[in-house]
Amino acid sequence: MARSSDTKAQAGFALALPDNPLNGLANEHMHLREVCGHLDALADSDKAQPVLALSARAYIRGVLPNHARDEEEDLFPLLRRRAPDDKDLHCTLDRLSQDHRDIAAARPRVITILERLITDNAAPDAPEAVRLKCFADLERRHLLVENAVILPLARAYLNGRDLKRLRKRMQARRGVDDI
Ligand SMILES: [Fe+2]
Ligand SMILES: [Fe+2]
């Protein structure tokens, strides 16, 4: 079910989607790093911080699934097609796909924890704090590789038609078109 905070997060992305969709993915990476910082701040404090919990929940629930699909269903296959002999790249993409599965598996529990922190206006207990930190660590390691390796290679390998297709697919996923 669509929720207003998630819709706002998606609309914010849609309005900001640049002509080059790789810049859109890079912008989302920047926001995801901020979300990781919010998860750390929640985990490290014994005080309730509902604004941070709300912001993290909106992004993890509303933006992250589409972001992973942009990469799994479009960016990674395009890269594999444009660089069929780059074995290192294919290996890296395999590892990143495993990260996506691990992140997707951990995501519902993280959302449930954030829901509780919001509803109870509470700080996380020790097991919840560990879960939040593990999720932030996994996401940060993943972003590091995508920013350092995947996006630069995508800028080198993908042609104008690839980028146009990727942008269209990202817009379709978010239910928007050019204004
Ligand atoms: Fe990404
Ligand atoms: Fe990713």
Side-chain angles (χ1 to χ4, degrees):
M1 184 172 60
R3 295 168 171 95
S4 64
S5 56
D6 298 350
T7 307
K8 275 184 206 158
Q10 289 184 26
F13 170 85
L15 291 173
L17 183 58
D19 285 345
N20 186 331
L22 300 174
N23 293 340
L25 292 173
N27 288 344
E28 289 198 343
H29 287 174
M30 205 169 59
H31 288 137
L32 277 166
R33 282 181 62 83
E34 286 175 14
V35 167
C36 291
H38 292 169
L39 295 177
D40 282 342
L42 287 163
D44 288 338
S45 176
D46 56 4
K47 293 191 170 53
Q49 301 182 86
V51 174
L52 291 190
L54 274 164
S55 150
R57 183 190 63 175
Y59 218 79
I60 291 168
R61 195 170 60 186
V63 178
L64 194 54
N66 278 339
H67 183 92
R69 287 183 64 199
D70 295 336
E71 293 171 346
E72 279 298 319
E73 296 177 20
D74 295 297
L75 178 63
F76 290 6
L78 281 169
L79 269 171
R80 287 182 192 278
R81 207 173 308 144
R82 295 291 167 234
D85 300 324
D86 189 336
K87 290 195 170 39
D88 287 345
L89 170 59
H90 287 235
C91 257
T92 303
L93 292 174
D94 287 344
R95 284 200 303 275
L96 291 171
S97 289
Q98 183 59 54
D99 285 351
H100 285 158
R101 290 190 286 277
D102 293 343
I103 289 166
R107 183 175 154 271
R109 179 72 180 121
V110 169
I111 291 172
T112 300
I113 292 169
L114 293 171
E115 300 275 7
R116 189 192 79 74
L117 302 187
I118 294 161
T119 306
D120 296 351
N121 194 31
D125 61 25
E128 288 172 334
V130 169
R131 289 255 188 187
L132 296 181
K133 270 209 173 283
C134 284
F135 189 84
D137 286 346
L138 171 59
E139 188 60 53
R140 243 190 311 258
R141 283 197 306 273
H142 182 81
L143 291 171
L144 202 69
V145 177
E146 289 186 341
N147 282 338
V149 179
I150 298 305
L151 289 183
L153 286 178
R155 290 182 198 282
Y157 284 137
L158 301 194
N159 61 35
R161 186 182 292 185
D162 294 334
L163 294 175
K164 206 169 167 186
R165 174 189 158 83
L166 175 60
R167 188 171 191 273
K168 279 268 170 227
R169 297 267 294 170
M170 289 167 70
Q171 286 180 314
R173 249 172 225 124
R174 290 156 180 83
V176 296
D177 207 338
D178 285 321
I179 298 165

